[in-house]
Amino acid sequence: MKSVRQPATTIVARASAPGLGGVGVIRISGSDTKAIATALLGKIPENRFATKSSFIDESGNPLDHGLALFFLGPASYTGEDTLELHCHGSPVVLDQVLKRVLRLGAGLARPGEFTERAFLNGKLDLAQAESVADLINSQTQAAAKFALRSLSGVFSKEIDDLSRRIETVRVLVEATIDFSDEPVDDLNGDQLRLYITEISEKIRKTLDRSRPGLLLSQGATIVIAGPPNAGKSSLLNAFAGSEKAIVSPHAGTTRDLIEAHIDLGGIPVHMVDTAGLRTSDDDIEAEGVRRARETIEAADLVLCVLDDSDPASSRFELYSEIGRTVKQITVFNKSDLSGRLMGDASDGTNAAVAVSAKNGTGIKQLTEAVRMALGFQGDDEDLILARRRHLNVLEKALGLMDSASALDEPELVAEELRLAHRLLGEITGVFSTEDLLGEIFSSFCIGK
Ligand SMILES: Nc1nc2c(ncn2[C@@H]2O[C@H](COP(=O)(O)OP(=O)(O)O)[C@@H](O)[C@H]2O)c(=O)[nH]1
Ligand SMILES: [Mg+2]
């Protein structure tokens, strides 16, 4: 069920970013748009033509001259009559025009309200609406590319296809319940299980392509940890391409967490350099070590940096330091001194790479190892820029399908299938609640 919000009033918002700009855009949508256009522009601009116009106040004095674009509903972004005013990009001018439209009876749009109306009017489904925000928020070219792909409906189509398949099997199972006195010729238990396993496999594949996609949209947190003086700060600097962190031959130099935002082969990465893990009598360093441990707990991946030229450093084990396993790559640093061959040094079970943070060698191989550890492979042409919400739904649906295939009672199988079908509908918004919509659209920017 779609949300049953109050009937649409006409809304207005500034659609361009705050601050000065060459052009600033104000967007209006709703049933009063024509009346507002007539008062503000003296006429309704021709549908879908850029029209040069004066934007006039109550006394007929121009507030600005610019372009007006009118879209007659339902052929508009929101599905309603829409007007875009391209003003000079001065905050003062935009403020005046905005206030004039408010005086003409429009209400200020909530964040994401234009896109929410587009969803409620069936112009795009919920997953596509989310990808509008993901596209606007994208931090790397790869994230933008996959957001655009979801916006064009590739992900939604895949979910719809899965839904249809579940529905087909569900109909078959329910037929065996309805006609349980009569034999149902074309379906036996084995066939049914086969259909269900096929669908489970497809959901699993969609999940595999979505998990790395989540990191593309939300970014990954990578923590650089290890013993003192191994070259952790040097490694951060090598990745960041600038002297973010102080590098020195004195152990215990880094105390605070040093953070850098980097584009790591298309993945937006929040990289954190930490204090070397050791027991220290120095209060400030001890606090640094405590913060390092805390950050490691929250990391998607830890780069455990060792000084490969120092046998003591090579014996360091992250596991013994923090008392649990984390997803990690061992980085044998200072390989210019140790003579270890650059690049991959994995031993079959542990991912490891030899680098020289000082010379920048091996960083390319380390980047590739990081991508692999985060679930990216090769060129990843068919990733899905999923959100945590989508992954949760897919994981739950997979659980239901797996339990359906293990059940014998048709009634119970049918119930699991019904639930899985309904869940998938939450991704595209066939089933949605007011709370869910509120949560999704409130994270949008105003004017979108
Ligand atoms: N030869 C060599 N020295 C390095 C390398 N990386 C770091 N160093 C040196 O090792 C010392 C400690 O480096 P730093 O980045 O501060 O280590 P941290 O304590 O782990 O952050 C400094 O004197 C660096 O110049 C490397 O790849 N090769
Ligand atoms: Mg350091």
Side-chain angles (χ1 to χ4, degrees):
M1 285 279 289
K2 283 190 179 168
S3 155
V4 277
R5 296 215 163 179
Q6 284 310 302
T9 51
T10 299
I11 48 170
V12 60
R14 180 184 172 143
S16 47
L20 307 182
V23 178
V25 179
I26 285 183
R27 201 183 219 183
I28 303 158
S29 177
S31 51
D32 293 339
T33 301
K34 281 183 187 158
I36 291 171
T38 310
L40 184 69
L41 314 170
K43 60 175 189 292
I44 300 166
E46 193 177 340
N47 186 27
R48 295 178 159 264
F49 272 88
T51 310
K52 190 162 182 290
S53 242
S54 293
F55 309 145
I56 49 179
D57 70 9
E58 284 84 348
S59 325
N61 297 319
L63 297 166
D64 194 11
H65 308 286
L67 285 182
L69 269 165
F70 177 67
F71 298 91
L72 184 67
S76 68
Y77 180 70
T78 58
E80 306 167 332
D81 288 350
T82 303
L83 182 66
E84 275 184 19
L85 304 171
H86 294 221
C87 310
H88 289 97
S90 139
V92 177
V93 170
L94 286 165
D95 198 44
Q96 281 182 300
V97 176
L98 186 74
K99 283 185 175 143
R100 166 86 165 117
V101 178
L102 290 171
R103 285 198 299 275
L104 286 167
L108 209 51
R110 282 180 282 110
E113 195 171 356
F114 291 92
T115 309
E116 182 174 11
R117 289 183 176 202
F119 165 68
L120 293 173
N121 291 324
K123 302 298 279 187
L124 29 74
D125 67 34
L126 203 51
Q128 287 174 303
E130 290 173 310
S131 62
V132 171
D134 291 339
L135 179 58
I136 292 172
N137 295 332
S138 56
Q139 294 171 51
T140 65
Q141 283 186 15
K145 175 173 123 180
F146 290 110
L148 193 59
R149 195 186 280 192
S150 287
L151 177 57
S152 63
V154 175
F155 179 46
S156 304
K157 210 166 143 265
E158 200 163 315
I159 297 300
D160 287 342
D161 178 59
L162 286 169
S163 279
R164 247 192 318 275
R165 283 170 193 267
I166 296 178
E167 178 132 64
T168 308
V169 182
R170 199 181 138 199
V171 168
L172 289 172
V173 177
E174 284 180 359
T176 67
I177 303 171
D178 294 343
F179 304 104
S180 50
D181 296 342
E182 305 162 30
V184 177
D185 297 338
D186 54 356
L187 188 75
N188 61 42
D190 286 348
Q191 265 176 331
L192 178 66
R193 254 182 278 279
L194 195 67
Y195 288 151
I196 295 178
T197 338
E198 259 175 25
I199 300 172
S200 296
E201 261 327 292
K202 283 191 185 293
I203 298 181
R204 221 180 299 274
K205 281 195 179 132
T206 305
L207 258 173
D208 286 345
R209 288 157 49 228
S210 301
R211 284 200 188 94
L214 182 70
L215 295 176
L216 270 190
S217 64
Q218 304 197 340
T221 300
I222 299 182
V223 173
I224 303 177
N229 239 358
K232 300 180 295 300
S233 299
S234 304
L235 186 65
L236 178 84
N237 293 345
F239 273 117
S242 65
E243 301 302 307
K244 280 264 178 196
I246 300 173
V247 166
S248 99
H250 305 292
T253 301
T254 310
R255 282 128 177 250
D256 277 334
L257 304 173
I258 317 274
E259 310 183 16
H261 288 276
I262 53 174
D263 177 343
L264 202 133
I267 312 168
V269 165
H270 172 218
M271 197 171 269
V272 191
D273 175 29
T274 60
L277 295 170
R278 67 167 173 183
T279 318
S280 171
D281 296 335
D282 179 322
D283 285 354
I284 302 173
E285 191 186 351
E287 172 60 15
V289 172
R290 193 194 63 76
R291 291 183 187 194
R293 291 173 190 277
E294 201 174 83
T295 317
I296 289 169
E297 293 291 319
D300 292 300
L301 178 68
V302 178
L303 300 182
C304 180
V305 182
L306 308 178
D307 178 346
D308 200 32
S309 66
D310 172 7
S313 179
S314 307
R315 281 195 295 274
F316 177 93
E317 268 189 3
L318 197 55
Y319 177 79
S320 355
E321 280 299 320
I322 61 167
R324 70 177 191 94
T325 51
V326 288
K327 192 187 270 188
Q328 66 160 305
I329 296 176
T330 305
V331 180
F332 294 114
N333 188 37
K334 308 196 191 181
S335 54
D336 53 306
L337 298 180
S338 71
R340 193 191 288 262
L341 242 39
M342 296 297 162
D344 188 15
S346 307
D347 64 5
T349 44
N350 294 311
V353 180
V355 306
S356 166
K358 199 171 189 170
N359 305 336
T361 38
I363 297 296
K364 217 173 127 219
Q365 287 91 335
L366 181 54
T367 301
E368 204 34 54
V370 167
R371 281 175 54 85
M372 295 265 286
L374 294 176
F376 290 78
Q377 286 149 358
D379 53 7
D380 293 303
E381 272 312 304
D382 59 353
L383 282 188
I384 297 167
L385 196 79
R387 292 182 165 204
R388 167 58 50 207
R389 171 181 98 80
H390 305 151
L391 288 186
N392 288 347
V393 166
L394 287 166
E395 276 160 6
K396 275 195 215 152
L398 184 60
L400 288 165
M401 295 305 285
D402 284 346
S403 85
S405 75
L407 290 166
D408 285 326
E409 287 291 309
E411 284 85 354
L412 298 180
V413 175
E415 177 60 8
E416 304 294 87
L417 294 175
R418 189 187 68 78
L419 290 172
H421 183 239
R422 199 190 149 85
L423 264 175
L424 288 183
E426 283 180 17
I427 292 186
T428 49
V430 181
F431 300 107
S432 63
T433 60
E434 189 132 346
D435 283 353
L436 175 65
L437 296 186
E439 194 180 308
I440 290 172
F441 289 106
S442 62
S443 66
F444 273 59
C445 45
I446 289 189
K448 194 61 216 176

